[in-house]
Amino acid sequence: ENQGSAEVSVTHQELADSMGTYRETVTHTLGGFQDNGLVVLERSRICIRAADGLRKIIASAGGRRAAES
């Protein structure tokens, strides 16, 4: 399984603004991702360490949203 990695230069506030949510929500969510080894958080940078794991979370969330509609 290819985990994939990348770095994104973005602040939590910039990410929150682009998603229409609060910075606190982004910080909390990213903290959970970091606790699970999916990302490493640095100042103004998010280092993705397990892209496949993030894709699974996204796919799972998409499935829940479709069921709620």
Side-chain angles (χ1 to χ4, degrees):
E1 179 176 342
N2 178 13
Q3 286 293 310
S5 65
E7 293 185 8
V8 180
S9 294
V10 65
T11 67
H12 294 192
Q13 186 64 58
E14 291 167 340
L15 191 55
D17 290 346
S18 72
M19 296 170 52
T21 191
Y22 296 105
R23 181 199 51 80
E24 293 84 354
T25 302
V26 170
T27 298
H28 177 78
T29 301
L30 289 174
F33 291 167
Q34 181 169 254
D35 291 346
N36 287 300
L38 300 173
V39 302
V40 175
L41 303 176
E42 299 176 359
R43 186 162 185 84
S44 300
R45 187 179 333 183
I46 302 167
C47 302
I48 299 169
R49 296 294 179 232
D52 290 342
L54 291 172
R55 283 187 197 98
K56 288 177 185 174
I57 291 170
I58 292 166
S60 173
R64 282 196 305 268
R65 284 194 193 111
E68 292 170 359
S69 298

